[in-house]
Amino acid sequence: MHAALLVDFASRIPTQANQLSDEERTFFLRCLKIAEEARPFPRAGSGRALFNPVIWLADGERDLPSWLVTSSVRVRSIGVPMPDLGQRRRMAELLAGQAGVPETATGLDVGPLLKDAKREEPTDEDVVRFARAAGGLTLRAMRESMRLARARRLSFAEMDQAVRLYELGVSRNPWTGGAVADSIRDGETLIGERVRGQEKAVTQTLDVLKRAALGLSGAQAASTSVHRPRGVLFFAGPTGTGKTELARAVATTLFGSEDACLRFDMSEFSAPHSADRLVGAPPGYVGYEAGGELTRAVREDPFRVVLFDEIDKADKGVLDKFLQVLEDGRLTDGQGVTTYFSECVLIFTSNLGVHGPSGADGRPLSAPAGRDRLPETPEERAAFEEEILGNVRHHFEHTLKRPELLNRLGGNIVVFQYIDEPTAHLIFKGQLRNIVEHMRRQGGLSLKVLPEAEKVLADACTRDRHNGGRGIGMKLETHLINPLARAMFDLGVELTPGTVVTVSRVAVQPDGGVRVDIDAVPGERTPDRQPPW
């Protein structure tokens, strides 16, 4: 008798393929022995002798004991690839023929017929769009997408939306309906107020967001992956100029909260194999059960701004993962689960090129000429931007030897300039206002800085603009917060809520220390909110 034995769900037989129990080991040894002792049966009329095959259907080769697959000439591992575009198109044509037809009439399990469904006539364009949208899916997943489309009352022309629902597992989509577009219009002023002195960078960023909101990212290509991220930005420029702040402002504008900004500090991913933290460790390694930090977070909420801070510090293995995300828009973690980034905005930040082109060890080859004097005129700022772009290109092409990653970024590299003097004073005033508000909220104290003291502080904090707004904050800490705290302790009296603390003088000592003169006058506490009566 000629027959074939099909072992379905073979991946579920062993608890752990590399740590078999006694019963599991005995079972697989018997299977291996049967394969070795099997004899072919002559086939009548053909003159050929054939085996009765045993076919194990497993998710991956590692799901079965390695010695079962490799130690016998009778056992072969055959990889079954995902359906290609041609196969997906044939499946889409088959499903298109069943659009609007009752299940009982077709025998095809595509879900119940809607009462108000009408006979559809899908076009070839609808079929191709469905096939392209289903890239990376199995044929069974395409049938399930069809079932989902019927349950959601979607027409066949909207099958790409059904595929998106199947992949992401969420029905809401902030990108559609004009909500994001309205947020971008309303947020233009807000972003400009949060990120000072970077008008061109803000404009470039908003252009990318507007393109993403309209679904025009990659529209110039004849064929592009439907899973690619909505938007990709690379912020390059000096430290403290607002790169991270702009990323947070983008998250607030698009999705209503800074919590939508998922930040990864790439200095934590500089070691070899650190990419496993992003996508999860392979089976058998420590941390396999936990999954990847990046993939898990994006699956929980696909609508995010994913910020990769200081990308130049990441290990090269991490950069390879980024290349896959930028090209295919998806990552498969160590557990075999695919995460899609099609609804995300990816932002990379770096101060690459500020200190000149880097060598193989990542250190600058030469100091930029004239960097002791910051660019001020439009011509100098334009030359600085060209210098940064050239140094970034040199880093990707010669230091990292990853020109393909640079090509995926395309024209989305946004250069931040050093802040100018008026911007530095605006940032100083804003940070001083934050200190006043913090003291009011935390202790109910009212802080006042007299004009003469404020001028001394402003001159000290804005004199060196190389470190941007972060440098101004550090100077405020050493020239105001620290000596102010010391002076308040030295008063020897309890500062009750409502006390007015006045800074009348700020003096920088010859040894670099700072002294502030303060007066504290008790007063009535001003409530944060006025009562309703």
Side-chain angles (χ1 to χ4, degrees):
M1 177 180 179
H2 296 283
L5 177 62
L6 190 67
V7 184
D8 206 352
F9 299 102
S11 298
R12 307 297 180 262
I13 296 177
T15 305
Q16 289 187 352
N18 56 348
Q19 295 180 2
L20 299 176
S21 65
D22 293 340
E23 293 80 5
E24 291 170 343
R25 185 177 295 102
T26 300
F27 168 75
F28 284 114
L29 281 173
R30 287 179 179 175
C31 294
L32 184 61
K33 184 178 180 181
I34 291 173
E36 290 293 336
E37 296 177 350
R39 296 293 179 267
F41 287 89
R43 185 175 182 181
S46 66
R48 297 174 58 194
L50 300 176
F51 287 93
N52 286 341
V54 178
I55 303 173
W56 303 76
L57 297 181
D59 297 333
E61 294 182 13
R62 296 180 179 180
D63 295 340
L64 296 176
S66 58
W67 48 264
L68 176 69
V69 180
T70 60
S71 63
S72 174
V73 296
R74 293 284 180 84
V75 181
R76 284 289 179 270
S77 176
I78 301 174
V80 180
M82 297 294 288
D84 59 23
L85 180 59
Q87 294 169 324
R88 297 198 306 272
R89 178 165 182 168
R90 287 192 292 273
M91 185 63 181
E93 291 172 347
L94 175 63
L95 295 174
Q98 317 307 322
V101 179
E103 177 183 1
T104 54
T106 64
L108 183 64
D109 183 16
V110 293
L113 178 68
L114 298 174
K115 292 181 180 180
D116 56 350
K118 299 180 180 179
R119 177 70 184 182
E120 292 187 73
E121 297 295 337
T123 65
D124 289 342
E125 183 180 353
D126 296 335
V127 170
V128 172
R129 185 165 57 250
F130 181 19
R132 290 193 180 279
L137 296 184
T138 63
L139 301 182
R140 177 179 294 179
M142 293 181 67
R143 288 200 302 269
E144 293 302 317
S145 298
M146 185 74 170
R147 175 188 293 274
L148 184 59
R150 288 194 167 192
R152 295 283 180 173
R153 298 178 180 268
L154 299 176
S155 66
F156 192 87
E158 300 172 300
M159 279 305 301
D160 54 339
Q161 298 183 30
V163 169
R164 173 193 163 276
L165 288 173
Y166 180 86
E167 291 175 338
L168 300 179
V170 292
S171 57
R172 69 181 181 91
N173 187 357
W175 292 103
T176 60
V180 168
D182 292 340
S183 297
I184 292 174
R185 294 189 191 97
D186 297 338
E188 288 193 49
T189 304
L190 173 65
I191 292 178
E193 291 176 352
R194 289 186 60 171
V195 183
R196 300 282 190 177
Q198 305 293 341
E199 289 78 9
K200 184 176 181 181
V202 170
T203 300
Q204 286 182 265
T205 300
L206 288 171
D207 286 345
V208 173
L209 299 184
K210 293 172 183 177
R211 184 178 68 196
L214 295 173
L216 295 177
S217 298
Q220 73 279 5
S223 61
T224 183
S225 172
V226 296
H227 300 109
R228 285 182 179 174
R230 281 276 181 166
V232 178
L233 289 158
F234 187 100
F235 293 163
T239 181
T241 52
K243 300 188 292 295
T244 303
E245 183 67 18
L246 181 54
R248 294 194 181 106
V250 167
T252 303
T253 300
L254 294 179
F255 306 121
S257 171
E258 282 193 14
D259 294 337
C261 182
L262 179 63
R263 179 179 178 270
F264 291 91
D265 188 342
M266 290 292 100
S267 62
E268 301 177 5
F269 295 83
S270 58
H273 309 297
S274 56
D276 292 345
R277 284 184 54 191
L278 294 176
V279 300
Y285 287 81
V286 176
Y288 164 70
E289 298 83 2
E293 297 177 18
L294 171 62
T295 52
R296 186 175 63 248
V298 173
R299 281 200 304 273
E300 291 174 356
D301 185 0
F303 303 97
R304 286 182 178 270
V305 171
V306 187
L307 172 62
F308 300 103
D309 230 347
E310 305 296 342
I311 185 62
D312 52 299
K313 298 178 182 177
D315 180 68
K316 292 184 178 181
V318 176
L319 298 180
D320 293 335
K321 298 298 181 183
F322 294 153
L323 182 64
Q324 184 179 348
V325 173
L326 294 176
E327 179 63 25
D328 301 326
R330 57 185 175 221
L331 279 177
T332 301
D333 63 17
Q335 297 176 332
V337 180
T338 301
T339 300
Y340 297 90
F341 293 79
S342 56
E343 309 303 324
C344 293
V345 173
L346 304 185
I347 299 179
F348 305 90
T349 74
S350 175
N351 55 8
L352 275 174
V354 176
H355 305 292
S358 55
D361 58 355
R363 297 182 178 181
L365 294 175
S366 59
R371 191 49 48 80
D372 54 333
R373 178 182 176 276
L374 301 184
E376 301 288 352
T377 66
E379 293 77 13
E380 291 174 340
R381 295 168 77 87
F384 174 75
E385 180 176 344
E386 287 298 322
E387 179 186 343
I388 294 294
L389 292 174
N391 292 340
V392 169
R393 188 178 301 109
H394 180 277
H395 183 82
F396 278 100
E397 293 178 351
H398 300 284
T399 304
L400 297 178
K401 295 180 172 57
R402 293 288 194 280
E404 64 278 9
L405 186 56
L406 183 65
N407 289 338
R408 298 304 186 279
L409 296 173
N412 297 331
I413 301 178
V414 179
V415 176
F416 283 64
Q417 298 281 345
Y418 284 101
I419 60 174
D420 56 21
E421 189 170 346
T423 301
H425 282 276
L426 287 176
I427 294 174
F428 165 78
K429 286 183 176 295
Q431 294 187 358
L432 182 60
R433 186 165 53 249
N434 293 339
I435 297 173
V436 173
E437 288 296 315
H438 184 81
M439 290 185 62
R440 181 185 62 81
R441 289 194 306 267
Q442 290 294 103
L445 303 179
S446 178
L447 176 65
K448 294 182 179 180
V449 182
L450 297 184
E452 182 180 346
E454 182 176 337
K455 183 179 185 305
V456 173
L457 284 173
D459 292 342
C461 294
T462 61
R463 185 177 299 116
D464 184 3
R465 293 179 276 115
H466 281 83
N467 292 321
R470 189 175 292 113
I472 294 174
M474 291 186 295
K475 289 287 187 180
L476 260 176
E477 188 174 82
T478 58
H479 284 67
L480 177 61
I481 297 178
N482 292 347
L484 175 62
R486 183 171 62 246
M488 290 166 65
F489 263 88
D490 292 344
L491 283 176
V493 297
E494 182 181 0
L495 298 175
T496 57
T499 299
V500 178
V501 179
T502 303
V503 178
S504 58
R505 182 171 176 267
V506 176
V508 180
Q509 306 296 324
D511 60 356
V514 180
R515 176 185 172 182
V516 299
D517 294 338
I518 66 171
D519 296 313
V521 179
E524 294 185 2
R525 182 175 183 178
T526 302
D528 293 339
R529 295 183 180 178
Q530 294 295 333
W533 56 82

